[in-house]
Amino acid sequence: MTSTTVAPPTSAVPRQPRPGIHTDRVADLISQLLVELGEDPQRDGLAETPKRVAAWWNDFLSRGGAPAATRFTEPQLAGQLVVVGGMSVWSLCEHHMIPMNLQVAVGYLAEGEVVGLSKFGRVAEHFAGRLQVQERYTREVAEHLAGVIGREDIAVSVRGVHLCMSMRGVRMEEARTTTLHSGGRFATDPVLSQQFLLLATSQLNAARYLRADLEEV
């Protein structure tokens, strides 16, 4: 059994502007919003805010097409469990347009070939770069990766912190939402499913402790 932790790739991939996004128009709409909120968009501190917000929206929604598959032949592998965790992405709740942070872990069975590790980080980022709900995000990541390996033997676990729940409404800062997609053998083999969940949870806890240690330094 192999367990690997990988972070999203650090080298940024140039993104092409998404068709239909007019940054000048978006900036104008942000200026109008500031006025309706009782602000002066021309005052110090806000003068460049509409442009910055428009540029961010353009970057966030310009993820391009789904990442190309990268697979490497490993004939000696058969049924080896690979779990890739430690992937943290930001998305936007489509119900309130407020950020949500998603911690992602993926498991698959290596059968004669392996998937390039950076692939998982790119897929996680790709499907986060849009207005989303966590449940759909989990399914989209799983379905895309199933297409990559050519089998349904995919498990995806996502643990989300939703600011629409933490900073508005009930304002429960400690609330977390967990979603799980199990396909193929992960859905029919309880031992395999339990192994994936155990490794995914341990990686999540390890990442949390590491962040806490770094914050204390």
Side-chain angles (χ1 to χ4, degrees):
M1 181 185 299
T2 300
S3 172
T4 306
T5 300
V6 60
T10 56
S11 56
V13 177
R15 298 171 182 168
Q16 298 300 317
R18 183 171 176 171
I21 294 181
H22 194 306
T23 53
D24 289 341
R25 176 59 176 156
V26 172
D28 181 59
L29 291 171
I30 297 300
S31 294
Q32 295 179 46
L33 176 62
L34 289 172
V35 171
E36 295 302 321
L37 293 177
E39 287 285 357
D40 176 8
Q42 300 303 318
R43 72 169 173 82
D44 291 343
L46 288 180
E48 297 298 317
T49 295
K51 291 182 180 179
R52 285 192 291 264
V53 175
W56 177 83
W57 273 106
N58 182 67
D59 180 68
F60 179 76
L61 295 174
S62 299
R63 298 299 172 98
T70 304
R71 296 181 292 184
F72 304 94
T73 301
E74 292 288 344
Q76 75 279 14
L77 295 181
Q80 186 179 85
L81 173 60
V82 181
V83 178
V84 184
M87 295 178 287
S88 176
V89 298
W90 286 93
S91 189
L92 282 180
C93 165
E94 66 181 37
H95 300 144
H96 302 97
M97 296 179 71
I98 295 178
M100 54 183 175
N101 180 248
L102 306 175
Q103 304 289 326
V104 185
V106 174
Y108 78 102
L109 295 174
E111 298 279 2
E113 61 182 9
V114 297
V115 180
L117 294 179
S118 64
K119 169 73 173 181
F120 296 96
R122 292 191 178 98
V123 170
E125 281 194 325
H126 172 75
F127 288 103
R130 60 189 66 177
L131 298 179
Q132 268 288 15
V133 295
Q134 182 176 330
E135 297 85 347
R136 184 172 66 237
Y137 172 83
T138 306
R139 174 182 55 81
E140 289 177 341
V141 171
E143 290 180 347
H144 179 81
L145 291 173
V148 170
I149 69 172
R151 301 184 309 278
E152 296 299 319
D153 301 328
I154 287 286
V156 177
S157 173
V158 181
R159 189 168 187 259
V161 178
H162 297 250
L163 297 192
C164 59
M165 189 175 185
S166 300
M167 66 181 293
R168 62 166 297 281
V170 294
R171 299 192 180 186
M172 294 185 176
E173 296 182 7
E174 300 302 318
R176 302 292 184 270
T177 301
T178 301
T179 48
L180 174 66
H181 178 103
S182 299
R185 289 174 57 185
F186 287 95
T188 60
D189 186 338
V191 174
L192 180 63
S193 178
Q194 185 63 29
Q195 290 173 335
F196 166 72
L197 290 174
L198 179 63
L199 288 170
T201 300
S202 66
Q203 290 182 346
L204 176 64
N205 291 336
R208 186 187 307 124
Y209 293 144
L210 177 60
R211 287 195 298 271
D213 290 341
L214 292 175
E215 290 174 356
E216 293 178 358
V217 174

